[in-house]
């Protein structure tokens, strides 16, 4: 039995644990044994993007230590952005941060290589599911949904089509809306340090999404809780209760519906 | 004079002014979408364009790396063709040199083609202060000159104005008494063209920027979509070309690939409508062209960038593609940046040229780290990483409020260990129970968005409880 270590992410752990539980159920249904490393915290992207390199370094080193201890066949990340951070930013971050605090180049390089090795085993949830064979379950009736891909899923991982394919294979009809590739304005702590522009961008995204809603989309689905918390936070503030779901939750719902139908 | 002009209004004022400007909001969305869609379509219809782009990047990076040798070569060639070269370190040096030439030739009226570098050195203000009459001849630059404004887009300087505003501006500034001015775009253009004809014919000096300086032949290349540079370079008696030293290109072979990029990425054309090539003043046997040609090579902080971590930014060809895709630019426009260089490239270039004291807030406040600029940049300039790096500089120079710095430090320390992370969960729950939520960074979130509560049982807590006996 293949084993997956779940990279839960801090946002899922703290605010949206149901996403973690949904991912575990999906992994389980696909025959994977799930490992959850209890010492995991946060990838440190919030600090890295804000220019706090040494804080980011400390979190990155912790992440590397935690996940390299696992013998799992794959590390599966529940966020496109955090997954991109580990795979694409860690090695260079650890080199630069080590250099700037005066570590020896051997030590920095060793951290960079360890991070690279961890990154090579890491895959984002939607991408992982794209590589899985589909379950022998009966199809359930199609559902129209709106999808928002985080910018790092789109532009750093480049894996938006994989997630779209997966969603379609589970009967999703993806509602179109203008400027879908545009940032929602979250931007990590940018949402807190520059709330005016951040909120304006959330509103622009909501205006665009209203077309998907008008086309019958039942909910907004994304592989990133960063974007979703920002957008749903804005929606709730404005009295809009349109549901938002992580990809893992939506897939889990569909698998459950199929399984029930197959009984 | 400062190295780079700076809008004295602080960022929140610039931001809110832009967000409340309904005309700006409409014209910006229109302009950025139109140019961006044109860019995407242009590359799609040009299958071998990607190979040309990749070659362009390689040649441009080499040219920047070897710029000392190439600039010397260009200077030799220009001089051999009868041109004069001036190396200028600062904006004042440019102004002083141009004024001296103007004095020697008794110049009264100056016409200019579009040039960001002359915006950078505030040349118009310098010349006007000495009593010269300066006229911009690019339509967008003409409009903002009449309005006494700065460009709001590197490529489309008047992108913030609609035709009604332009009509009123023409009536108020250049129309003769009783002269009718239509709001129709073609009519507005015709009106400006008629006015500018008179300026072209009466000018004594022409000033151009330069998109490229070809070292092997000492040739300045200016691309436009209006053809105005053709007249600026041929009609007046004296011609001055002012060029940032990073515009150097080694040879015509490299130029062939590089010259396509601003057209493709800027306006979505295979080539700009006009390519103006200047290789020297009028030859003795020739009828056309200026009597004298001066080339001013401007440093103004560029050499400081060379050889450092931001060297790639010197490959910028000023196409504006990064502006058109930037979510923040689309909201606040060029004036939001308080610098003549706006958008993602301005966010990097402005603090590098103009200093962190003046422009240090741009990297922190005008970027959501969405990477759209990097995807759009034809020269593959790693703008997001450069912005992160400038944020790191701001942090290490302690430009953030102390309270913010402390929060990041404590947050980072706590979350570097599992124990610290668990403690922070407990602390957050306590704060929630005491209804202390509007504190620190979180306060910035809460004004406009609902904040989720830390779950009563986090995922990791739940997992630990269920798997306490070690069976995962």
């Amino acid at each position: 039995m293949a084993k997956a270590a779940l990279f839960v992410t801090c946002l899922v752990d703290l605010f949206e644990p149901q996403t973690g539980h949904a991912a575990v159920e999906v992994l389980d249904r696909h025959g994977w044994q799930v490992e959850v490393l209890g010492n995991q915290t946060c990838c440190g992207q919030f600090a890295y993007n804000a220019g706090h390199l040494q804080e980011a370094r400390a979190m990155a080193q912790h992440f590397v230590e935690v996940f390299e201890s696992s013998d799992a066949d794959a590390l599966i990340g529940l966020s496109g952005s955090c997954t991109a951070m580990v795979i694409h930013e860690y090695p260079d971050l650890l080199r630069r941060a080590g250099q700037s605090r005066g570590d020896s180049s051997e030590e920095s390089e060793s951290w960079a290589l360890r991070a690279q090795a961890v990154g090579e085993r890491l895959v984002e949830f939607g991408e992982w599911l794209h590589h899985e064979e589909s379950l022998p379950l009966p199809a359930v009736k199609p559902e129209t949904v709106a999808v928002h891909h985080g910018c790092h899923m789109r532009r750093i991982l480049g894996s938006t089509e994989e997630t779209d394919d997966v969603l379609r294979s589970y009967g999703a009809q993806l509602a179109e809306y203008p400027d879908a590739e545009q940032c929602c304005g979250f931007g990590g702590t940018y949402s807190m340090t520059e709330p005016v522009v951040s909120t304006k961008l959330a509103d622009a995204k909501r205006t665009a999404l209203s077309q998907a809603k008008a086309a019958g989309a039942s909910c907004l689905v994304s592989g990133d809780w960063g974007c979703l918390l920002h957008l749903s936070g804005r929606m709730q503030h404005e009295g809009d209760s349109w549901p938002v779901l992580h990809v893992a939750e939506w897939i889990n719902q569909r698998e459950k519906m199929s399984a029930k139908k197959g009984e | 004079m400062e190295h780079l002009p700076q809008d004295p209004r602080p960022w929140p004022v610039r931001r809110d002014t832009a967000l409340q400007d309904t005309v700006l909001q409409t014209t910006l969305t229109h302009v950025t979408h139109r140019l961006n869609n044109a860019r995407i379509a242009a590359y799609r219809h040009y299958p071998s364009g990607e190979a040309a782009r990749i070659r362009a990047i390689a040649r441009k990076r080499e040219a920047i790396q070897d710029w000392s040798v190439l600039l010397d070569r260009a200077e030799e060639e220009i001089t051999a063709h009868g041109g004069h070269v001036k190396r200028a370190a600062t904006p004042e040096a440019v102004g002083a040199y141009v004024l001296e030439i103007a004095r020697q030739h008794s110049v009264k009226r100056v016409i200019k083609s579009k040039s960001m570098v002359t915006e950078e050195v505030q040349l118009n203000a310098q010349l006007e202060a000495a009593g010269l009459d300066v006229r911009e001849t690019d339509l967008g630059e003409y409009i903002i000159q009449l309005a006494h404004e700065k460009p709001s887009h590197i490529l489309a300087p008047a992108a913030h104005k609609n035709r009604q505003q332009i009509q009123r501006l023409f009536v108020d500034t250049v129309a003769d008494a009783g002269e009718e001015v239509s709001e129709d775009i073609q009519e507005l253009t015709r009106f400006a063209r008629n006015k500018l004809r008179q300026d072209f014919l009466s000018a004594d000096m022409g000033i151009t920027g330069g998109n490229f300086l070809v070292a092997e032949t000492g040739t300045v290349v200016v691309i436009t979509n209006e053809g105005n540079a053709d007249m600026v370079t041929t009609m007046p008696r004296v011609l001055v070309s002012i060029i940032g030293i990073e515009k150097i290109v080694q040879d015509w072979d490299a130029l062939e690939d590089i010259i396509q990029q601003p057209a493709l990425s800027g306006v979505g054309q295979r080539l700009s409508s006009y390519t103006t090539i200047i290789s020297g003043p009028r030859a003795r046997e020739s009828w056309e062209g200026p009597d004298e040609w001066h080339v001013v090579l401007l440093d103004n902080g560029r050499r400081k960038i060379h050889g450092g971590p931001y060297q790639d930014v010197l490959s910028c060809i000023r196409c504006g593609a990064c502006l058109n895709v930037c979510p923040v630019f689309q909201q606040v426009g060029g004036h939001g940046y308080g610098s003549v260089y706006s958008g993602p490239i301005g966010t990097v270039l402005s603090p590098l040229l103009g200093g962190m004291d003046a422009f240090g807030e741009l990297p922190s406040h005008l970027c959501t780290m969405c990477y759209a600029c990097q995807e759009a940049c034809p020269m593959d300039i790693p703008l997001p990483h450069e912005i992160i790096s400038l944020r790191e500089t701001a942090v290490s120079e302690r430009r953030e409020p102390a309270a913010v710095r402390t929060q990041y430090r404590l947050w980072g320390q706590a979350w570097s260990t599992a124990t610290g992370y668990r403690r922070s969960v407990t602390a957050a729950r306590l704060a929630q129970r005491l209804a202390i939520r509007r504190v620190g960074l979180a306060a910035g979130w809460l004004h406009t968005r609902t904040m989720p509560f830390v779950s009563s049982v986090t995922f990791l807590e739940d997992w630990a409880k269920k798997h306490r006996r070690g069976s995962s």
Side-chain angles (χ1 to χ4, degrees), chain A residues 23-58:
Chain A
V24 171
E25 287 181 38
V26 173
L27 278 155
D28 184 51
R29 244 177 247 119
H30 286 260
W32 285 68
Q33 185 195 344
V34 180
E35 175 183 40
V36 175
L37 300 158
N39 287 340
Q40 63 183 290
T41 61
C42 161
C43 68
Q45 184 178 190
F46 76 89
Y48 174 66
N49 282 2
H52 291 265
L53 183 62
Q54 294 307 331
E55 284 77 5
R57 173 196 55 79

mmCIF file of all heavy atoms in Angstrom, chain A residues 23-58:
data_model
loop_
_atom_site.group_PDB
_atom_site.id
_atom_site.type_symbol
_atom_site.label_atom_id
_atom_site.label_comp_id
_atom_site.label_asym_id
_atom_site.label_seq_id
_atom_site.Cartn_x
_atom_site.Cartn_y
_atom_site.Cartn_z
ATOM 1 N N ALA A 23 -9.539 15.338 2.569
ATOM 2 C CA ALA A 23 -8.390 14.827 1.821
ATOM 3 C C ALA A 23 -8.025 13.428 2.297
ATOM 4 O O ALA A 23 -7.714 12.544 1.491
ATOM 5 C CB ALA A 23 -7.205 15.778 1.991
ATOM 6 N N VAL A 24 -8.073 13.224 3.611
ATOM 7 C CA VAL A 24 -7.752 11.895 4.158
ATOM 8 C C VAL A 24 -8.739 10.855 3.617
ATOM 9 O O VAL A 24 -8.344 9.766 3.197
ATOM 10 C CB VAL A 24 -7.786 11.921 5.712
ATOM 11 C CG1 VAL A 24 -7.677 10.509 6.275
ATOM 12 C CG2 VAL A 24 -6.671 12.808 6.252
ATOM 13 N N GLU A 25 -10.021 11.216 3.583
ATOM 14 C CA GLU A 25 -11.029 10.265 3.084
ATOM 15 C C GLU A 25 -10.796 9.932 1.612
ATOM 16 O O GLU A 25 -10.918 8.780 1.194
ATOM 17 C CB GLU A 25 -12.446 10.847 3.273
ATOM 18 C CG GLU A 25 -12.899 10.835 4.731
ATOM 19 C CD GLU A 25 -14.316 11.404 4.909
ATOM 20 O OE1 GLU A 25 -15.173 11.153 4.040
ATOM 21 O OE2 GLU A 25 -14.536 12.111 5.917
ATOM 22 N N VAL A 26 -10.452 10.948 0.819
ATOM 23 C CA VAL A 26 -10.204 10.704 -0.610
ATOM 24 C C VAL A 26 -8.975 9.813 -0.781
ATOM 25 O O VAL A 26 -9.003 8.830 -1.527
ATOM 26 C CB VAL A 26 -10.032 12.038 -1.374
ATOM 27 C CG1 VAL A 26 -9.608 11.783 -2.819
ATOM 28 C CG2 VAL A 26 -11.325 12.855 -1.338
ATOM 29 N N LEU A 27 -7.914 10.131 -0.071
ATOM 30 C CA LEU A 27 -6.693 9.316 -0.140
ATOM 31 C C LEU A 27 -6.995 7.873 0.237
ATOM 32 O O LEU A 27 -6.547 6.918 -0.420
ATOM 33 C CB LEU A 27 -5.626 9.892 0.799
ATOM 34 C CG LEU A 27 -4.812 11.063 0.243
ATOM 35 C CD1 LEU A 27 -4.272 11.929 1.375
ATOM 36 C CD2 LEU A 27 -3.672 10.541 -0.617
ATOM 37 N N ASP A 28 -7.761 7.721 1.275
ATOM 38 C CA ASP A 28 -8.127 6.400 1.773
ATOM 39 C C ASP A 28 -8.906 5.614 0.706
ATOM 40 O O ASP A 28 -8.616 4.459 0.421
ATOM 41 C CB ASP A 28 -8.972 6.587 3.044
ATOM 42 C CG ASP A 28 -9.305 5.254 3.683
ATOM 43 O OD1 ASP A 28 -8.364 4.463 3.890
ATOM 44 O OD2 ASP A 28 -10.505 5.010 3.941
ATOM 45 N N ARG A 29 -9.880 6.273 0.086
ATOM 46 C CA ARG A 29 -10.685 5.630 -0.955
ATOM 47 C C ARG A 29 -9.828 5.182 -2.136
ATOM 48 O O ARG A 29 -10.132 4.215 -2.812
ATOM 49 C CB ARG A 29 -11.757 6.606 -1.439
ATOM 50 C CG ARG A 29 -13.171 6.141 -1.141
ATOM 51 C CD ARG A 29 -14.177 7.177 -1.577
ATOM 52 N NE ARG A 29 -14.844 7.745 -0.418
ATOM 53 C CZ ARG A 29 -14.811 9.012 -0.070
ATOM 54 N NH1 ARG A 29 -14.164 9.895 -0.804
ATOM 55 N NH2 ARG A 29 -15.434 9.416 1.008
ATOM 56 N N HIS A 30 -8.765 5.942 -2.377
ATOM 57 C CA HIS A 30 -7.879 5.595 -3.496
ATOM 58 C C HIS A 30 -6.783 4.628 -3.073
ATOM 59 O O HIS A 30 -5.837 4.401 -3.818
ATOM 60 C CB HIS A 30 -7.282 6.869 -4.108
ATOM 61 C CG HIS A 30 -8.282 7.649 -4.917
ATOM 62 N ND1 HIS A 30 -8.344 7.592 -6.286
ATOM 63 C CD2 HIS A 30 -9.309 8.452 -4.538
ATOM 64 C CE1 HIS A 30 -9.345 8.351 -6.716
ATOM 65 N NE2 HIS A 30 -9.951 8.881 -5.673
ATOM 66 N N GLY A 31 -6.921 4.089 -1.895
ATOM 67 C CA GLY A 31 -6.015 3.032 -1.464
ATOM 68 C C GLY A 31 -4.686 3.498 -0.915
ATOM 69 O O GLY A 31 -3.711 2.749 -0.930
ATOM 70 N N TRP A 32 -4.636 4.738 -0.460
ATOM 71 C CA TRP A 32 -3.383 5.231 0.112
ATOM 72 C C TRP A 32 -3.467 5.213 1.636
ATOM 73 O O TRP A 32 -4.505 5.545 2.210
ATOM 74 C CB TRP A 32 -3.110 6.673 -0.340
ATOM 75 C CG TRP A 32 -2.630 6.782 -1.761
ATOM 76 C CD1 TRP A 32 -3.355 6.510 -2.874
ATOM 77 C CD2 TRP A 32 -1.333 7.194 -2.190
ATOM 78 N NE1 TRP A 32 -2.587 6.726 -3.997
ATOM 79 C CE2 TRP A 32 -1.334 7.155 -3.605
ATOM 80 C CE3 TRP A 32 -0.160 7.596 -1.535
ATOM 81 C CZ2 TRP A 32 -0.216 7.496 -4.363
ATOM 82 C CZ3 TRP A 32 0.947 7.941 -2.298
ATOM 83 C CH2 TRP A 32 0.920 7.882 -3.708
ATOM 84 N N GLN A 33 -2.365 4.837 2.227
ATOM 85 C CA GLN A 33 -2.252 4.959 3.675
ATOM 86 C C GLN A 33 -1.822 6.401 3.985
ATOM 87 O O GLN A 33 -0.957 6.941 3.306
ATOM 88 C CB GLN A 33 -1.179 3.992 4.173
ATOM 89 C CG GLN A 33 -1.059 3.936 5.678
ATOM 90 C CD GLN A 33 0.239 3.250 6.116
ATOM 91 O OE1 GLN A 33 0.883 2.564 5.320
ATOM 92 N NE2 GLN A 33 0.591 3.448 7.370
ATOM 93 N N VAL A 34 -2.468 7.016 4.975
ATOM 94 C CA VAL A 34 -2.169 8.428 5.245
ATOM 95 C C VAL A 34 -1.346 8.587 6.519
ATOM 96 O O VAL A 34 -1.673 8.011 7.555
ATOM 97 C CB VAL A 34 -3.469 9.253 5.383
ATOM 98 C CG1 VAL A 34 -3.143 10.728 5.666
ATOM 99 C CG2 VAL A 34 -4.309 9.136 4.115
ATOM 100 N N GLU A 35 -0.312 9.367 6.389
ATOM 101 C CA GLU A 35 0.507 9.718 7.555
ATOM 102 C C GLU A 35 0.363 11.227 7.794
ATOM 103 O O GLU A 35 0.410 12.000 6.839
ATOM 104 C CB GLU A 35 1.967 9.384 7.253
ATOM 105 C CG GLU A 35 2.941 9.802 8.346
ATOM 106 C CD GLU A 35 4.397 9.514 7.970
ATOM 107 O OE1 GLU A 35 4.778 9.726 6.815
ATOM 108 O OE2 GLU A 35 5.137 9.092 8.856
ATOM 109 N N VAL A 36 0.148 11.593 9.059
ATOM 110 C CA VAL A 36 0.113 13.014 9.371
ATOM 111 C C VAL A 36 1.204 13.293 10.404
ATOM 112 O O VAL A 36 1.141 12.795 11.527
ATOM 113 C CB VAL A 36 -1.265 13.457 9.921
ATOM 114 C CG1 VAL A 36 -1.219 14.938 10.342
ATOM 115 C CG2 VAL A 36 -2.353 13.251 8.880
ATOM 116 N N LEU A 37 2.190 14.067 10.000
ATOM 117 C CA LEU A 37 3.294 14.376 10.906
ATOM 118 C C LEU A 37 2.844 15.498 11.824
ATOM 119 O O LEU A 37 2.580 16.623 11.371
ATOM 120 C CB LEU A 37 4.527 14.784 10.086
ATOM 121 C CG LEU A 37 4.993 13.675 9.122
ATOM 122 C CD1 LEU A 37 5.826 14.252 7.990
ATOM 123 C CD2 LEU A 37 5.758 12.596 9.883
ATOM 124 N N GLY A 38 2.748 15.170 13.107
ATOM 125 C CA GLY A 38 2.156 16.096 14.075
ATOM 126 C C GLY A 38 2.989 17.335 14.354
ATOM 127 O O GLY A 38 2.490 18.307 14.919
ATOM 128 N N ASN A 39 4.271 17.319 13.938
ATOM 129 C CA ASN A 39 5.145 18.466 14.217
ATOM 130 C C ASN A 39 5.108 19.525 13.129
ATOM 131 O O ASN A 39 5.769 20.551 13.244
ATOM 132 C CB ASN A 39 6.598 18.000 14.373
ATOM 133 C CG ASN A 39 6.785 17.263 15.687
ATOM 134 O OD1 ASN A 39 5.974 17.410 16.603
ATOM 135 N ND2 ASN A 39 7.822 16.457 15.758
ATOM 136 N N GLN A 40 4.342 19.272 12.067
ATOM 137 C CA GLN A 40 4.341 20.249 10.976
ATOM 138 C C GLN A 40 3.648 21.547 11.425
ATOM 139 O O GLN A 40 2.727 21.523 12.239
ATOM 140 C CB GLN A 40 3.667 19.678 9.732
ATOM 141 C CG GLN A 40 2.210 19.341 9.892
ATOM 142 C CD GLN A 40 1.658 18.704 8.618
ATOM 143 O OE1 GLN A 40 1.510 19.358 7.596
ATOM 144 N NE2 GLN A 40 1.382 17.408 8.677
ATOM 145 N N THR A 41 4.109 22.665 10.863
ATOM 146 C CA THR A 41 3.507 23.952 11.221
ATOM 147 C C THR A 41 3.065 24.699 9.958
ATOM 148 O O THR A 41 1.953 24.509 9.475
ATOM 149 C CB THR A 41 4.465 24.818 12.058
ATOM 150 O OG1 THR A 41 5.645 25.100 11.306
ATOM 151 C CG2 THR A 41 4.863 24.129 13.346
ATOM 152 N N CYS A 42 3.970 25.485 9.398
ATOM 153 C CA CYS A 42 3.631 26.386 8.288
ATOM 154 C C CYS A 42 4.844 26.450 7.389
ATOM 155 O O CYS A 42 5.976 26.346 7.858
ATOM 156 C CB CYS A 42 3.302 27.764 8.870
ATOM 157 S SG CYS A 42 3.374 29.135 7.705
ATOM 158 N N CYS A 43 4.623 26.632 6.095
ATOM 159 C CA CYS A 43 5.756 26.662 5.150
ATOM 160 C C CYS A 43 6.560 27.948 5.270
ATOM 161 O O CYS A 43 7.675 28.031 4.777
ATOM 162 C CB CYS A 43 5.277 26.471 3.719
ATOM 163 S SG CYS A 43 4.301 27.854 3.085
ATOM 164 N N GLY A 44 5.987 28.983 5.882
ATOM 165 C CA GLY A 44 6.729 30.231 6.078
ATOM 166 C C GLY A 44 6.588 31.230 4.948
ATOM 167 O O GLY A 44 7.246 32.269 4.944
ATOM 168 N N GLN A 45 5.689 30.942 4.014
ATOM 169 C CA GLN A 45 5.577 31.837 2.858
ATOM 170 C C GLN A 45 5.157 33.256 3.254
ATOM 171 O O GLN A 45 5.600 34.228 2.651
ATOM 172 C CB GLN A 45 4.596 31.279 1.824
ATOM 173 C CG GLN A 45 4.562 32.148 0.590
ATOM 174 C CD GLN A 45 3.658 31.665 -0.522
ATOM 175 O OE1 GLN A 45 3.724 32.205 -1.589
ATOM 176 N NE2 GLN A 45 2.826 30.658 -0.295
ATOM 177 N N PHE A 46 4.302 33.354 4.276
ATOM 178 C CA PHE A 46 3.845 34.692 4.670
ATOM 179 C C PHE A 46 5.030 35.586 5.018
ATOM 180 O O PHE A 46 5.053 36.769 4.702
ATOM 181 C CB PHE A 46 2.834 34.607 5.833
ATOM 182 C CG PHE A 46 3.453 34.322 7.177
ATOM 183 C CD1 PHE A 46 3.878 35.364 7.990
ATOM 184 C CD2 PHE A 46 3.624 33.018 7.621
ATOM 185 C CE1 PHE A 46 4.463 35.113 9.228
ATOM 186 C CE2 PHE A 46 4.207 32.763 8.854
ATOM 187 C CZ PHE A 46 4.625 33.808 9.663
ATOM 188 N N ALA A 47 6.032 35.004 5.671
ATOM 189 C CA ALA A 47 7.207 35.781 6.056
ATOM 190 C C ALA A 47 8.124 36.011 4.856
ATOM 191 O O ALA A 47 8.645 37.109 4.648
ATOM 192 C CB ALA A 47 7.973 35.067 7.164
ATOM 193 N N TYR A 48 8.292 34.986 4.045
ATOM 194 C CA TYR A 48 9.182 35.088 2.877
ATOM 195 C C TYR A 48 8.703 36.174 1.924
ATOM 196 O O TYR A 48 9.470 37.038 1.508
ATOM 197 C CB TYR A 48 9.241 33.736 2.168
ATOM 198 C CG TYR A 48 10.004 33.759 0.864
ATOM 199 C CD1 TYR A 48 11.377 34.001 0.836
ATOM 200 C CD2 TYR A 48 9.355 33.530 -0.349
ATOM 201 C CE1 TYR A 48 12.081 34.023 -0.357
ATOM 202 C CE2 TYR A 48 10.057 33.550 -1.546
ATOM 203 C CZ TYR A 48 11.417 33.801 -1.542
ATOM 204 O OH TYR A 48 12.103 33.825 -2.735
ATOM 205 N N ASN A 49 7.429 36.155 1.574
ATOM 206 C CA ASN A 49 6.904 37.135 0.623
ATOM 207 C C ASN A 49 6.946 38.548 1.182
ATOM 208 O O ASN A 49 6.967 39.511 0.425
ATOM 209 C CB ASN A 49 5.463 36.798 0.231
ATOM 210 C CG ASN A 49 5.417 35.673 -0.786
ATOM 211 O OD1 ASN A 49 6.447 35.124 -1.162
ATOM 212 N ND2 ASN A 49 4.222 35.321 -1.219
ATOM 213 N N ALA A 50 6.941 38.665 2.501
ATOM 214 C CA ALA A 50 6.958 39.996 3.105
ATOM 215 C C ALA A 50 8.384 40.507 3.312
ATOM 216 O O ALA A 50 8.574 41.601 3.829
ATOM 217 C CB ALA A 50 6.206 39.976 4.435
ATOM 218 N N GLY A 51 9.368 39.691 2.945
ATOM 219 C CA GLY A 51 10.751 40.137 3.065
ATOM 220 C C GLY A 51 11.422 39.767 4.370
ATOM 221 O O GLY A 51 12.535 40.199 4.639
ATOM 222 N N HIS A 52 10.740 38.946 5.184
ATOM 223 C CA HIS A 52 11.338 38.512 6.451
ATOM 224 C C HIS A 52 12.051 37.178 6.241
ATOM 225 O O HIS A 52 11.569 36.110 6.594
ATOM 226 C CB HIS A 52 10.268 38.443 7.540
ATOM 227 C CG HIS A 52 9.752 39.789 7.930
ATOM 228 N ND1 HIS A 52 10.241 40.509 8.993
ATOM 229 C CD2 HIS A 52 8.829 40.594 7.349
ATOM 230 C CE1 HIS A 52 9.633 41.686 9.065
ATOM 231 N NE2 HIS A 52 8.765 41.747 8.068
ATOM 232 N N LEU A 53 13.213 37.311 5.648
ATOM 233 C CA LEU A 53 13.951 36.151 5.159
ATOM 234 C C LEU A 53 14.366 35.199 6.280
ATOM 235 O O LEU A 53 14.253 33.985 6.138
ATOM 236 C CB LEU A 53 15.182 36.653 4.387
ATOM 237 C CG LEU A 53 16.064 35.612 3.724
ATOM 238 C CD1 LEU A 53 15.286 34.839 2.673
ATOM 239 C CD2 LEU A 53 17.280 36.281 3.073
ATOM 240 N N GLN A 54 14.840 35.739 7.391
ATOM 241 C CA GLN A 54 15.336 34.851 8.451
ATOM 242 C C GLN A 54 14.196 34.096 9.144
ATOM 243 O O GLN A 54 14.347 32.928 9.511
ATOM 244 C CB GLN A 54 16.183 35.623 9.480
ATOM 245 C CG GLN A 54 17.490 36.164 8.900
ATOM 246 C CD GLN A 54 18.336 35.099 8.195
ATOM 247 O OE1 GLN A 54 18.299 33.913 8.522
ATOM 248 N NE2 GLN A 54 19.106 35.511 7.199
ATOM 249 N N GLU A 55 13.059 34.755 9.307
ATOM 250 C CA GLU A 55 11.897 34.058 9.867
ATOM 251 C C GLU A 55 11.474 32.938 8.909
ATOM 252 O O GLU A 55 11.152 31.830 9.332
ATOM 253 C CB GLU A 55 10.732 35.033 10.082
ATOM 254 C CG GLU A 55 10.881 35.943 11.304
ATOM 255 C CD GLU A 55 11.859 37.091 11.095
ATOM 256 O OE1 GLU A 55 12.367 37.270 9.973
ATOM 257 O OE2 GLU A 55 12.133 37.809 12.091
ATOM 258 N N ALA A 56 11.477 33.247 7.614
ATOM 259 C CA ALA A 56 11.114 32.245 6.613
ATOM 260 C C ALA A 56 12.098 31.077 6.632
ATOM 261 O O ALA A 56 11.709 29.913 6.528
ATOM 262 C CB ALA A 56 11.069 32.881 5.223
ATOM 263 N N ARG A 57 13.379 31.414 6.790
ATOM 264 C CA ARG A 57 14.402 30.366 6.842
ATOM 265 C C ARG A 57 14.131 29.407 8.002
ATOM 266 O O ARG A 57 14.161 28.184 7.834
ATOM 267 C CB ARG A 57 15.795 30.977 7.008
ATOM 268 C CG ARG A 57 16.904 29.965 7.237
ATOM 269 C CD ARG A 57 18.177 30.611 7.790
ATOM 270 N NE ARG A 57 17.932 31.376 9.006
ATOM 271 C CZ ARG A 57 17.795 30.846 10.241
ATOM 272 N NH1 ARG A 57 17.921 29.544 10.408
ATOM 273 N NH2 ARG A 57 17.549 31.618 11.276
ATOM 274 N N ALA A 58 13.835 29.959 9.158
ATOM 275 C CA ALA A 58 13.615 29.104 10.329
ATOM 276 C C ALA A 58 12.430 28.160 10.090
ATOM 277 O O ALA A 58 12.486 26.968 10.410
ATOM 278 C CB ALA A 58 13.374 29.967 11.564
#
